[in-house]
Amino acid sequence: MAEVYGSQAGDPTFPVWVLEHEAEGVVGCTTHFGNEVLPPWGFTEEERAEPTLFLATTFTAPNPHRLGRLIAWWSLDHAAQQGLRWVRRGTGQEQLSRYYQEAQGWDLLRVAERHDVKVYMLQRQAERVLGLADMMVGRGL
């Protein structure tokens, strides 16, 4: 899936960022949106008004390098460089929500209902991630 979504990079209406490995090509991707796309059923009016990067979709090729975590860290760093306050995301999987909270430091804002499905809305404050470039280069990214 990462390669399919990554192929959409460069389309200004679908802001996809790709993660490339020097030998393997595209190994991950994510989609970033501004606070204007934060769903009203998942975020309050006040939250939707705050300077936010919304991390909508992230895919990675199977790997032992925790590429999804690197993409999330890159997103936090990118948002901070853009002067944004928050990075927010949602997931329909409780287990993934727990992983984001326990392993990646995301805070659970609320659990929203959408079409009879629970959606876990999360956020982290945007921040510079020291050593991120070295981590990426060390993995051939």
Side-chain angles (χ1 to χ4, degrees):
M1 294 295 297
E3 193 164 335
V4 171
Y5 281 92
S7 69
Q8 298 172 3
D11 180 346
T13 62
F14 198 76
V16 175
W17 294 86
V18 297
L19 179 63
E20 290 186 279
H21 187 273
E22 58 190 20
E24 299 173 32
V26 175
V27 293
C29 67
T30 193
T31 306
H32 288 174
F33 293 102
N35 57 315
E36 71 277 358
V37 302
L38 291 173
W41 50 265
F43 296 95
T44 67
E45 187 174 327
E46 293 80 17
E47 290 164 347
R48 292 192 319 272
E50 294 175 311
T52 300
L53 183 150
F54 185 61
L55 189 56
T57 307
T58 302
F59 291 102
T60 62
N63 70 86
H65 303 293
R66 299 186 183 263
L67 297 179
R69 182 176 62 183
L70 284 173
I71 289 172
W73 285 346
W74 180 84
S75 298
L76 292 167
D77 189 81
H78 181 71
Q81 290 183 52
Q82 300 298 312
L84 303 175
R85 180 166 183 207
W86 298 104
V87 177
R88 294 187 167 123
R89 68 187 323 169
T91 181
Q93 300 176 22
E94 182 179 5
Q95 185 175 359
L96 191 53
S97 171
R98 281 196 311 268
Y99 169 75
Y100 289 152
Q101 293 170 69
E102 295 168 7
Q104 294 187 7
W106 293 80
D107 294 319
L108 180 66
L109 278 172
R110 70 189 50 84
V111 179
E113 290 280 333
R114 182 70 173 161
H115 304 295
D116 297 323
V117 174
K118 290 182 179 180
V119 182
Y120 302 84
M121 310 310 285
L122 303 119
Q123 72 178 12
R124 273 191 68 173
Q125 195 160 14
E127 63 183 323
R128 296 301 313 266
V129 179
L130 299 177
L132 181 61
D134 292 335
M135 286 184 264
M136 306 276 269
V137 170
R139 291 172 171 84
L141 304 168

